[in-house]
Amino acid sequence: MDGIDKHAAFYRAYLPADRSLVPMTIALATIVALWFFVYLVIAIGPQTEAETVRPGTHAAPIAALRSESR
């Protein structure tokens, strides 16, 4: 069993301690939450008319035809 104990002790040194997982989890959750918040602010934030209208597009001609036929 002495050989198995030596191998187990060798690999046990590479295992992370349980106490180091809590700060890592908090840091990762904070980074993800901040990224999601910034993404939502950019996605929902105010958009200017230049961003919403593509160059070269015009108003729909069907709306103009409907108003003329009445």
Side-chain angles (χ1 to χ4, degrees):
M1 291 293 267
D2 191 34
I4 293 174
D5 290 337
K6 286 182 183 178
H7 288 294
F10 176 76
Y11 288 112
R12 200 174 299 124
Y14 290 102
L15 292 175
D18 288 338
R19 66 178 181 266
S20 69
L21 296 178
V22 174
M24 181 68 77
T25 305
I26 292 171
L28 182 62
T30 304
I31 290 169
V32 170
L34 285 174
W35 175 84
F36 189 65
F37 177 72
V38 169
Y39 175 78
L40 285 179
V41 167
I42 291 171
I44 298 175
Q47 297 178 354
T48 62
E49 188 176 332
E51 292 176 350
T52 57
V53 177
R54 284 188 261 159
T57 58
H58 304 286
I62 296 173
L65 291 175
R66 285 185 184 164
S67 63
E68 291 175 4
S69 64
R70 289 184 182 182

